[in-house]
Amino acid sequence: MLDTCTAQAHCTNYPATLKAGLWAGGAPHAEWDVVELRCVMADTDLVLEGGGVKGSSLVGAVTALAAHSDPYTFHRIAGTSAGAIVAAFLASGMTPAQVKNVMESLDFAKFEDKQGFLEHIPGIGPATGLFLHEGLFVGGFMHDWIAETLAAQGVRTWADLRDDDPGSALPPEQRYKLVVIVSDVSRGIMLRLPWDYQSLLGMDPDMIPVADAIRASASIPFFFRPWKMQADPTLTGHDHIVCADGGLLSNFPMAIFDRNDGKESRWPTIGVKLSGQRTIRTTDWSPDNTNVALAKSLLATMMSAHDNAYVNNPQASSRTIFVNTTPYQATDFHLSPADKSTMFGRGMSSGQKFLTTWDWDKWKSGDYSLG
């Protein structure tokens, strides 16, 4: 699983042990210029499930991978909603520790931004936001926070996340470090951004802010207003499309980086899913005897049934880290620091448990058993 890689002393994608000279062969360059090293590193592609404010669990699992005795580096990362946020921060060059710090220092209650006089009136305010604007909250703070965090890493448009990888099975126009899943509700299709910008929207991704796609992917129905995304009218018939949470169509796009050119994969794809491994139980039955309960069940079904069918396949489940985030809810914007710490710890321990049985060579041979 060792791979030859190019490293710099200041590169945030590599742990401090590398900078101290922990590699197979060679010696530290005197001035820490770019040097070719035989690194004690293991590449992987990463897929992160959406889960609202439960993103701290994703960071915990990723931390376990990066802190492993054979540390993983993340070549390409895909995510939906909260998974897209964490994925983008990692793809920008932030270390898991830096992402953890950003998540812990953020007051999630700031996501509950409202606009207009009526929406601030107790009692009728929430209804006004929901029925007049299709969402309780504007989502402006979320977009600006994402954009500013990425800009601090030198990432603004998709051009900043290009991945020059001639060995990839992907066509050149799809070679990016990040993929974000978005639901195009105007046309009822799933968008894989930046991959589908040109073909389905008629837009050049390298000119578009990365934060736009992430904000669109995190448009939790009824909570955040849908995102209007610019489009070429000659292709779509309109100058924009309406986008909602990517989880409506795929909350966990586990197969997105799997090769389809007949060649052997160079490294694995590892997923992080924010639930225990699912089995169908009689206790899962819900009477849905109120409009609110029915709406919740409809959303839960849309956002999980398709992906659960795939993840229950041993080929997928054997390369997935399952993090039990019960009893936390995706829209609990008032989590305490202790809650965030608990979720991070669960992600970390789940990742460590996964690594005790994970065997890439065995998986490649078609053996998907654990242990």
Side-chain angles (χ1 to χ4, degrees):
M1 295 176 65
L2 298 180
D3 192 18
T4 301
C5 61
T6 300
Q8 284 180 288
H10 67 272
C11 180
T12 57
N13 285 329
Y14 298 94
T17 50
L18 175 60
K19 300 175 188 178
L22 181 58
W23 57 78
H29 190 281
E31 297 179 358
W32 289 108
D33 290 333
V34 179
V35 290
E36 289 292 320
L37 305 175
R38 184 69 172 173
C39 303
V40 185
M41 310 294 283
D43 259 332
T44 186
D45 290 330
L46 195 62
V47 176
L48 304 178
E49 186 183 34
V53 298
K54 297 186 287 186
S56 293
S57 291
L58 298 173
V59 182
V62 170
T63 299
L65 294 173
H68 186 49
S69 57
D70 186 6
Y72 282 89
T73 58
F74 311 116
H75 190 82
R76 296 169 299 196
I77 315 173
T80 302
S81 195
I85 295 175
V86 175
F89 291 168
L90 292 169
S92 75
M94 294 175 68
T95 65
Q98 289 174 316
V99 179
K100 179 176 183 285
N101 182 61
V102 167
M103 301 291 281
E104 287 184 343
S105 62
L106 175 68
D107 179 4
F108 289 149
K110 291 183 178 180
F111 285 162
E112 297 178 313
D113 51 353
K114 301 173 184 177
Q115 189 176 66
F117 171 73
L118 290 177
E119 294 183 37
H120 288 85
I121 299 177
I124 68 170
T128 301
L130 181 59
F131 292 110
L132 294 184
H133 304 292
E134 301 87 37
L136 295 173
F137 311 120
V138 177
F141 172 83
M142 182 200 303
H143 179 275
D144 293 346
W145 170 69
I146 294 168
E148 290 166 7
T149 303
L150 292 176
Q153 296 297 120
V155 173
R156 292 173 176 81
T157 70
W158 287 97
D160 299 317
L161 291 176
R162 279 281 186 181
D163 179 30
D164 183 16
D165 180 10
S168 174
L170 295 172
E173 64 271 17
Q174 292 185 355
R175 293 178 186 172
Y176 291 86
K177 298 176 183 178
L178 173 69
V179 181
V180 174
I181 303 300
V182 174
S183 296
D184 173 355
V185 296
S186 294
R187 297 177 292 177
I189 59 175
M190 182 176 76
L191 300 177
R192 306 159 303 166
L193 303 178
W195 292 1
D196 295 327
Y197 267 119
Q198 193 69 59
S199 60
L200 295 180
L201 299 177
M203 305 298 293
D204 179 1
D206 290 349
M207 303 297 292
I208 298 175
V210 177
D212 289 2
I214 302 169
R215 165 60 180 85
S217 182
S219 302
I220 301 174
F222 309 130
F223 284 88
F224 293 106
R225 297 180 185 178
W227 181 262
K228 293 182 178 180
M229 188 171 290
Q230 186 179 358
D232 182 351
T234 62
L235 182 64
T236 64
H238 301 274
D239 63 0
H240 73 276
I241 59 169
V242 177
C243 299
D245 196 301
L248 292 173
L249 297 178
S250 183
N251 207 32
F252 189 54
M254 188 61 196
I256 195 166
F257 295 126
D258 289 352
R259 295 191 77 119
N260 55 13
D261 60 352
K263 296 182 180 180
E264 184 178 271
S265 297
R266 296 171 293 171
W267 48 70
T269 296
I270 295 176
V272 184
K273 189 165 176 57
L274 298 178
S275 62
Q277 193 160 1
R278 182 170 175 79
T279 56
I280 299 175
R281 303 166 300 173
T282 56
T283 53
D284 290 332
W285 182 82
S286 173
D288 295 329
N289 52 8
T290 69
N291 289 339
V292 173
L294 178 60
K296 288 182 177 180
S297 292
L298 287 171
L299 281 174
T301 300
M302 285 189 293
M303 299 178 76
S304 64
H306 171 76
D307 293 325
N308 281 336
Y310 176 75
V311 172
N312 283 337
N313 182 324
Q315 185 188 43
S317 61
S318 58
R319 53 178 174 158
T320 299
I321 300 171
F322 293 91
V323 185
N324 187 347
T325 55
T326 305
Y328 299 105
Q329 301 297 316
T331 54
D332 184 358
F333 299 112
H334 297 272
L335 290 175
S336 69
D339 291 329
K340 293 181 183 179
S341 179
T342 296
M343 284 195 288
F344 176 87
R346 288 188 185 180
M348 182 83 167
S349 60
S350 296
Q352 292 169 335
K353 180 181 178 181
F354 167 83
L355 288 168
T356 62
T357 60
W358 168 245
D359 188 322
W360 167 229
D361 291 326
K362 187 169 75 171
W363 191 94
K364 282 194 299 181
S365 72
D367 183 352
Y368 307 131
S369 61
L370 301 178

